[in-house]
Amino acid sequence: MGDVQGFAEITDGDTIKISGTRIRFHGIDAPEIDQPCWIDKRQYQCGVEAKAFLNQIINNQTVTCITLSTDQYGRKVARCYNYKNEDIEERMVSAGMATAYTYYSYDYILEEVQARWNATDIWAGDFENPYDYRRNNR
């Protein structure tokens, strides 16, 4: 069983809070809340959509996380599972709602390749890599 478990408050597509503990999902990077993406030259808020999709995956149920490390902001970096014991990070990347964060891990690269191949969500149009977006807009 995980070391952090409970109901999650969703911050964005790759960060949650459980009982005051901030958790950054391991191995993925989701668009920022204010980040725009484009499909057929039409802009949409892909960060908002990623957060909404995460909300569906969690479905106001218990989340269980296994801490792997702590990041520079003091957040636990963890692998997390929803109430169906589904790997939340895997679901986010497979759905095209996040990228594999290959700077830290290659754990979800196959899911990203499949999402790219299928032109799923963010891969259906144009977007700035979330890491680059943060660097260029903060």
Side-chain angles (χ1 to χ4, degrees):
M1 197 49 72
D3 61 317
V4 181
Q5 186 172 357
F7 292 99
E9 176 185 333
I10 299 168
T11 305
D12 59 26
D14 55 29
T15 310
I16 60 174
K17 190 185 291 185
I18 297 175
S19 301
T21 300
R22 294 180 315 147
I23 299 167
R24 173 72 156 85
F25 293 144
H26 163 76
I28 73 169
D29 201 11
E32 297 298 310
I33 287 295
D34 61 346
Q35 184 173 343
C37 294
W38 295 265
I39 293 180
D40 297 326
K41 299 183 181 178
R42 180 187 60 84
Q43 182 177 313
Y44 71 101
Q45 294 306 115
C46 53
V48 171
E49 286 193 9
K51 181 179 178 180
F53 185 76
L54 178 58
N55 191 49
Q56 289 177 342
I57 293 170
I58 291 174
N59 195 31
N60 293 316
Q61 301 293 319
T62 300
V63 173
T64 300
C65 297
I66 301 165
T67 302
L68 304 174
S69 64
T70 302
D71 72 8
Q72 64 195 22
Y73 305 107
R75 299 176 296 191
K76 290 181 180 247
V77 177
R79 188 178 302 270
C80 297
Y81 301 88
N82 69 4
Y83 64 103
K84 295 179 181 178
N85 203 34
E86 296 171 325
D87 182 321
I88 292 172
E89 293 90 333
E90 182 179 317
R91 290 282 317 273
M92 291 295 290
V93 176
S94 292
M97 294 292 174
T99 63
Y101 204 177
T102 57
Y103 183 76
Y104 293 103
S105 166
Y106 290 104
D107 288 356
Y108 300 102
I109 195 74
L110 293 177
E111 288 81 4
E112 179 179 305
V113 168
Q114 184 175 6
R116 281 181 187 231
W117 177 261
N118 293 326
T120 306
D121 205 83
I122 60 175
W123 302 108
D126 298 308
F127 70 99
E128 187 173 13
N129 183 292
Y131 173 83
D132 294 328
Y133 181 82
R134 284 190 301 276
R135 190 180 68 217
N136 294 331
N137 293 282
R138 300 287 188 246

